[in-house]
Amino acid sequence: MHKRMLILAFCLQVSHVKGGTLKAEGNQDGGGGGGGGGGGGDTLSHSLVLVQRLDALLAQGNGSDVSLRVETVNADEVKVIQAHSLVLALQSPLFDELLLGRNGSSTLVLKESADCATAFDKFVRYLYCGEISIRLEQATSLHKLATKYRVAGLQQGVTQYMTQNLARDSPSGHVVGWYEYAMETGDLTLRDSCLQFLSWNLSSVLQSREWVTISNQLLMSLLTRSDLILQSEMELFAALELWINKNEPDGLAAENALRAVRYAMMPPRELFRLQTQSPILARYQESVRDLLYMSYQFHSASPLHMAKYFDVNCSLFMPRNYLSAAWGSPWIISNPTRDDRSTSFQTQLGPSGSDASKRVTWNALFSPRWLPLSMRPMYTETGAMQPTRVDGGKPRIIITPATSSSDFAGVSFQKTVIVMARQHGKLLVKHVYNFHQSTEENGDFLAEADLHRRTSEYLIDGSLYLHIVVKPLYQTLITTKN
């Protein structure tokens, strides 16, 4: 298993001088201090040697004044570590409290779960040396120990390690387990990172062994989101069928999950197929009958006509980020800092039966150096897309329809730009940006990306990998009676 070193530095290292480090300091004594006329001083640091000696002190147990007796809960396994109370108390507030209350005993009895007991040697070594090697399967154990003994630096470091290694391969998957652990411990940073990773890479998750292991709570958290990135709503329904068959949840949990599916985003022919061929839908059809009925109505009339009688702002009629060709197009921009690029692509006007056959052509313009709106010169031609390129500008994308149409009435189009990146050998979603016409609307498009550096984590072989999704958002036109 790949090891990742998490190191907390004890000093600023500038240059090595026979096993130590030499750091030049500013003028502190106004020119005094002798020897060389510069007036400044140098600091000779052997902190690395100190760390090595602390490591040896722990390993050999020399001068130990406390024995840590680590007992595994519900097991006979016992581990004894010779340690030094000064180091333990200095690094851990809980150890400080425990050592003060031991009443003269030279042994401190600690009860830990099996996974934490296994990782306890590493944890104690971190307290001595300030560094630790972490494997994926040990991350939660070390995080538990850091949390319990209130070692804030290690706790934050392990959380960072976990958020940076969500994409790494493991035999049975680990993201779902880390999410459940974050929910238990209240680690909001880890929880949100896991949920975002699962949402943005859902197609891959649905094909993995982790999918059937997720809890009902996590399932509902995913199903209610509109930012899921997947091929189609049918892909999600098929995965939900698999989850229900594997986990056999109670009737209410299954009904709630099935009611979170956006059936209106499926073509009528797929709805007919589900009603006649899906055993799960046959079993729970009464629970979703109203949703299927509204979906058929959605496909039988124009959205503009339906919006006069029904609330079309509900989630049933709100698309997710679908990657199929009807909803958008991939766009690979090689050498993205060189100059402006443009592309055109077509999508369906909308997912309803009356709009699916109508095509809309979209023009997309990417500029690596786009002047902010407040600094652009005024153009007399309405709708002109004339980029103003200047040094120091920021990357921008503008997406507009090639023509206007009366079919656009009652609908606004949200554009989503998905930025892909290669992480641990996998093509995964790096960032998602939503806007109506220009990425300038949210102001942070590729703000952290160094596109000039070919090895940037936002680039794949020097190219920017994007996927554009266009989602129609319908507006309710119901007249309120007085």
Side-chain angles (χ1 to χ4, degrees):
M1 179 67 68
H2 176 83
K3 291 186 178 181
R4 181 79 172 257
M5 300 300 294
L6 183 66
I7 299 176
L8 302 181
F10 281 79
C11 63
L12 176 62
Q13 300 180 25
V14 177
S15 59
H16 291 280
V17 182
K18 294 184 178 180
T21 59
L22 188 64
K23 182 178 72 173
E25 294 182 344
N27 189 345
Q28 297 179 350
D29 55 9
D42 295 329
T43 298
L44 183 63
S45 171
H46 290 92
S47 59
L48 290 179
V49 176
L50 175 61
V51 170
Q52 293 170 0
R53 290 182 177 175
L54 285 171
D55 192 13
L57 185 68
L58 174 63
Q60 298 166 8
N62 296 336
S64 168
D65 61 348
V66 61
S67 296
L68 301 179
R69 179 182 172 87
V70 184
E71 299 179 356
T72 303
V73 177
N74 299 324
D76 297 329
E77 297 178 15
V78 175
K79 181 183 296 184
V80 178
I81 301 173
Q82 301 300 322
H84 305 81
S85 57
L86 176 62
V87 177
L88 299 179
L90 182 65
Q91 294 284 58
S92 164
L94 180 59
F95 267 129
D96 190 20
E97 296 169 8
L98 295 174
L99 291 167
L100 288 175
R102 59 181 167 150
N103 297 322
S105 173
S106 62
T107 300
L108 196 60
V109 179
L110 307 170
K111 295 187 179 294
E112 303 292 346
S113 61
D115 59 324
C116 287
T118 302
F120 208 88
D121 293 288
K122 283 191 172 187
F123 171 66
V124 173
R125 184 181 180 277
Y126 171 86
L127 300 182
Y128 277 74
C129 304
E131 72 175 31
I132 193 169
S133 61
I134 303 180
R135 291 188 176 96
L136 290 177
E137 68 272 16
Q138 296 175 326
T140 53
S141 304
L142 291 168
H143 195 280
K144 288 178 186 177
L145 291 170
T147 302
K148 176 180 177 179
Y149 291 92
R150 305 203 292 272
V151 184
L154 179 59
Q155 183 181 8
Q156 295 168 5
V158 176
T159 295
Q160 182 180 14
Y161 167 85
M162 296 167 85
T163 58
Q164 293 176 349
N165 284 271
L166 296 172
R168 193 176 292 277
D169 281 324
S170 59
S172 58
H174 54 278
V175 181
V176 171
W178 286 359
Y179 172 85
E180 301 295 353
Y181 170 73
M183 289 293 293
E184 293 174 7
T185 59
D187 190 324
L188 301 183
T189 299
L190 179 59
R191 180 202 67 183
D192 293 344
S193 296
C194 291
L195 190 55
Q196 178 177 280
F197 178 87
L198 294 170
S199 300
W200 286 2
N201 300 280
L202 191 60
S203 276
S204 298
V205 175
L206 298 181
Q207 305 303 319
S208 71
R209 284 181 286 182
E210 273 193 294
W211 170 249
V212 294
T213 69
I214 71 174
S215 65
N216 181 64
Q217 184 275 331
L218 176 54
L219 177 70
M220 293 307 300
S221 294
L222 291 170
L223 291 177
T224 55
R225 293 174 69 110
S226 295
D227 64 340
L228 301 183
I229 298 177
L230 68 167
Q231 290 298 319
S232 66
E233 198 72 15
M234 276 300 304
E235 180 186 32
L236 183 59
F237 182 87
L240 179 57
E241 275 191 311
L242 178 64
W243 184 90
I244 293 175
N245 286 327
K246 185 73 174 181
N247 292 277
E248 298 182 347
D250 61 64
L252 181 60
E255 289 174 8
N256 288 336
L258 288 167
R259 288 190 65 82
V261 175
R262 302 183 179 180
Y263 299 98
M265 297 299 105
M266 301 178 183
R269 64 181 181 278
E270 296 293 349
L271 289 176
F272 285 129
R273 186 180 66 80
L274 288 183
Q275 283 193 286
T276 57
Q277 299 181 16
S278 169
I280 292 295
L281 201 59
R283 190 191 315 171
Y284 294 100
Q285 184 157 348
E286 288 302 319
S287 302
V288 297
R289 181 183 296 275
D290 59 324
L291 300 180
L292 294 174
Y293 176 70
M294 291 183 68
S295 298
Y296 284 125
Q297 286 184 311
F298 175 73
H299 287 299
S300 64
S302 70
L304 182 61
H305 183 73
M306 189 172 179
K308 297 177 181 179
Y309 304 97
F310 298 96
D311 180 9
V312 292
N313 286 326
C314 63
S315 61
L316 181 66
F317 306 110
M318 186 172 294
R320 309 185 203 264
N321 293 318
Y322 304 120
L323 300 179
S324 56
W327 295 89
S329 172
W331 189 12
I332 301 175
I333 304 175
S334 60
N335 193 9
T337 60
R338 189 182 65 201
D339 50 29
D340 295 347
R341 314 293 173 83
S342 63
T343 189
S344 296
F345 61 96
Q346 287 190 330
T347 65
Q348 60 186 6
L349 175 61
S352 73
S354 64
D355 290 343
S357 60
K358 300 175 182 177
R359 314 306 291 174
V360 179
T361 300
W362 300 93
N363 294 327
L365 172 68
F366 171 82
S367 176
R369 295 170 297 278
W370 189 260
L371 202 64
L373 183 62
S374 60
M375 299 177 62
R376 293 185 200 165
M378 299 297 294
Y379 297 108
T380 57
E381 182 182 352
T382 303
M385 291 174 52
Q386 303 181 33
T388 303
R389 296 172 48 211
V390 293
D391 292 336
K394 298 179 180 180
R396 290 291 182 268
I397 288 180
I398 294 178
I399 302 174
T400 56
T403 59
S404 59
S405 171
S406 58
D407 291 329
F408 295 174
V411 60
S412 61
F413 294 94
Q414 177 181 294
K415 287 81 173 183
T416 297
V417 172
I418 300 169
V419 182
M420 311 297 291
R422 183 175 289 133
Q423 299 179 32
H424 305 295
K426 300 178 182 178
L427 191 63
L428 299 169
V429 176
K430 177 69 175 178
H431 217 301
V432 176
Y433 301 93
N434 297 310
F435 55 94
H436 286 285
Q437 178 168 313
S438 168
T439 54
E440 189 177 8
E441 295 164 20
N442 49 33
D444 63 346
F445 180 62
L446 298 178
E448 299 179 357
D450 183 4
L451 301 182
H452 293 274
R453 183 166 54 88
R454 186 173 178 82
T455 57
S456 168
E457 58 185 3
Y458 281 79
L459 300 179
I460 301 175
D461 299 327
S463 298
L464 192 61
Y465 277 61
L466 309 176
H467 194 107
I468 302 174
V469 179
V470 179
K471 297 186 290 186
L473 303 179
Y474 302 108
Q475 301 163 14
T476 299
L477 302 176
I478 299 175
T479 302
T480 303
K481 296 182 179 179
N482 295 326

